[in-house]
Amino acid sequence: MKYKKISFSFKKRKDIIKALLFRGEKQRHLLEFAREVRDKIFPKKVEVRSVIEYSNICQQICNYCAMSKHSKIKRYILDNNRVLKKISTLYTNGRRVIMFQAGENHSDNFFNSLHNLLKEVKKKYPKLTLICCLGNLSRDKYRKLRDIGVERYILKFEVSDPKLYKKIKPLDSLKNRLNHIRILKELGFHVGSGNISGLPGQSLDILANDLILLKKLNLSMGSTSIFIPNDRSNYAGCPIGDVQLTLNSIAILRIMCPEILIPSTTSLELAIKNGQYFGLMAGANSVTLHDGTPGNKQENFVIYKTERYKPTKVLSKIVKKAELEYFEGSLIN
């Protein structure tokens, strides 16, 4: 049956809340419109990036994460020479965007080692786009990363409600986090941030405010990932986030912020089979390959859960099923 094409705009919080609850035919219209918005800006292209989980040492205490500084997991820092060899392989295989991810580590020795590595990577592969996701650092350390050519930085604010933020991240504050995002923008990074959909204590009002904040921040990248109760975190046993709320959040974010990169996260795949496909069908336009971290270290980089989802072999099929194509370069100019 042919249906009337519908467009959406979200200028008021009540409109966002209403759309978050769409199911059935209304949800289908919403997701379809989000894809149309995406495809006008990024014609059938999905940015693919490899992630290198450089270290799981962390000085934060995030209640949803098993890498909290109090966790008993085995800690590691990757060997720089081994990383360089891996990057050589990834580059030869066509990868042009690589994300370095680590727990928040304020050690100068740690930063200097990583800084030297990234500097060498940019020298050898000047066309490689580097993303860092390292938590809160000092302005000076951010500047040093930018000075050697790191183009992007991801710093998620997790939730827009200051009280709930303090509850999930006791050693930080929302005000401080947003200040770091401001500093990163001032230094010229393409900045990414986002929320977690389904955090314990998160209401529909808060979720809508998360999306409004993402719009207000005016970033290059934005994400809304689903809450996964980590079995070694303080939130073990809590209910998983709502998949449909998360997919609607992705679609709404795409419509509100047409020109940003939005990932279809691996957390979606942990929440539901074919989750990353559903994310792409909700308007996402980037995917991550977990092919940069040695297998014996991946099991200790446990943001979501001990069980890891490794989509490397099937992700190309997911992208093709969504009638999209890999774009090996950067979709951000």
Side-chain angles (χ1 to χ4, degrees):
M1 179 173 151
K2 202 166 184 179
Y3 58 89
K4 182 180 178 181
K5 190 165 285 189
I6 299 175
S7 62
F8 299 87
S9 64
F10 299 104
K11 297 181 180 179
K12 297 180 180 179
R13 183 188 295 107
K14 66 178 183 179
D15 296 327
I16 296 173
I17 293 173
K18 185 177 179 180
L20 284 169
L21 296 173
F22 282 171
R23 299 295 183 268
E25 190 74 359
K26 288 183 178 180
Q27 184 182 39
R28 185 164 72 88
H29 288 312
L30 175 68
L31 304 190
E32 182 182 71
F33 185 69
R35 295 196 300 273
E36 291 177 358
V37 170
R38 176 197 63 199
D39 293 344
K40 285 180 181 178
I41 307 294
F42 307 97
K44 297 295 182 180
K45 295 290 191 295
V46 172
E47 183 180 281
V48 56
R49 61 183 69 153
S50 289
V51 62
I52 295 174
E53 293 151 332
Y54 186 70
S55 172
N56 66 351
I57 297 172
C58 190
Q59 292 170 239
Q60 281 285 354
I61 304 174
C62 299
N63 284 315
Y64 58 82
C65 180
M67 295 195 307
S68 159
K69 71 176 184 178
H70 295 321
S71 174
K72 303 301 182 183
I73 61 172
K74 186 176 181 181
R75 304 294 178 168
Y76 73 87
I77 300 175
L78 295 183
D79 176 76
N80 283 4
N81 289 327
R82 190 173 184 182
V83 173
L84 285 170
K85 290 179 181 178
K86 186 63 179 179
I87 289 177
S88 176
T89 301
L90 293 171
Y91 195 88
T92 299
N93 291 338
R95 193 70 66 249
R96 294 296 181 268
V97 182
I98 294 182
M99 180 168 74
F100 279 79
Q101 190 170 12
E104 187 171 309
N105 189 338
H106 301 153
S107 162
D108 289 339
N109 288 337
F110 170 82
F111 177 82
N112 291 336
S113 177
L114 176 57
H115 181 268
N116 290 336
L117 170 62
L118 295 172
K119 186 176 181 180
E120 188 168 355
V121 170
K122 287 299 291 188
K123 184 178 179 180
K124 286 187 175 182
Y125 309 102
K127 293 183 179 179
L128 195 65
T129 295
L130 293 182
I131 310 170
C132 280
C133 182
L134 310 171
N136 297 339
L137 300 178
S138 67
R139 178 187 282 269
D140 183 58
K141 287 177 179 177
Y142 292 142
R143 180 185 54 76
K144 287 179 178 178
L145 291 173
R146 190 69 191 99
D147 286 349
I148 61 171
V150 176
E151 292 90 347
R152 308 186 199 172
Y153 202 99
I154 295 175
L155 193 66
K156 295 183 70 172
F157 63 75
E158 318 293 17
V159 66
S160 60
D161 182 81
K163 290 183 180 179
L164 185 54
Y165 185 97
K166 193 68 177 178
K167 187 174 182 180
I168 67 170
K169 297 172 74 76
L171 298 185
D172 200 2
S173 70
L174 178 62
K175 182 179 179 180
N176 181 57
R177 195 72 158 185
L178 295 178
N179 186 52
H180 279 268
I181 291 172
R182 178 186 59 80
I183 291 169
L184 288 163
K185 290 183 68 178
E186 288 177 356
L187 292 172
F189 284 96
H190 289 292
V191 182
S193 192
N195 72 331
I196 301 176
S197 172
L199 279 168
Q202 182 189 55
S203 64
L204 279 176
D205 272 340
I206 291 175
L207 183 54
N209 285 335
D210 292 348
L211 297 172
I212 291 169
L213 177 57
L214 264 171
K215 167 74 173 177
K216 182 179 178 181
L217 289 173
N218 190 29
L219 304 175
S220 300
M221 300 171 284
S223 69
T224 178
S225 58
I226 190 167
F227 170 70
I228 303 290
N230 194 303
D231 49 11
R232 286 193 279 182
S233 75
N234 290 340
Y235 284 171
C238 291
I240 194 170
D242 186 292
V243 172
Q244 303 309 320
L245 271 180
T246 304
L247 293 176
N248 288 356
S249 296
I250 292 172
I252 293 166
L253 180 59
R254 168 59 63 204
I255 294 165
M256 293 173 67
C257 307
E259 298 184 356
I260 68 172
L261 287 187
I262 301 175
S264 183
T265 64
T266 55
S267 61
L268 268 173
E269 197 72 32
L270 289 170
I272 187 173
K273 185 177 180 181
N274 298 320
Q276 282 195 296
Y277 165 73
F278 295 134
L280 292 174
M281 295 301 285
N285 65 332
S286 71
V287 291
T288 299
L289 291 175
H290 288 269
D291 56 358
T293 307
N296 65 333
K297 302 298 184 185
Q298 285 189 353
E299 63 185 24
N300 291 313
F301 199 89
V302 281
I303 292 179
Y304 299 130
K305 57 193 296 187
T306 305
E307 175 191 350
R308 291 296 301 269
Y309 170 66
K310 303 172 185 178
T312 304
K313 295 182 180 180
V314 299
L315 200 48
S316 59
K317 295 179 181 178
I318 292 171
V319 172
K320 186 176 181 180
K321 184 180 179 183
E323 298 183 352
L324 298 167
E325 297 177 359
Y326 275 152
F327 185 75
E328 297 288 353
S330 171
L331 281 177
I332 298 178
N333 295 324

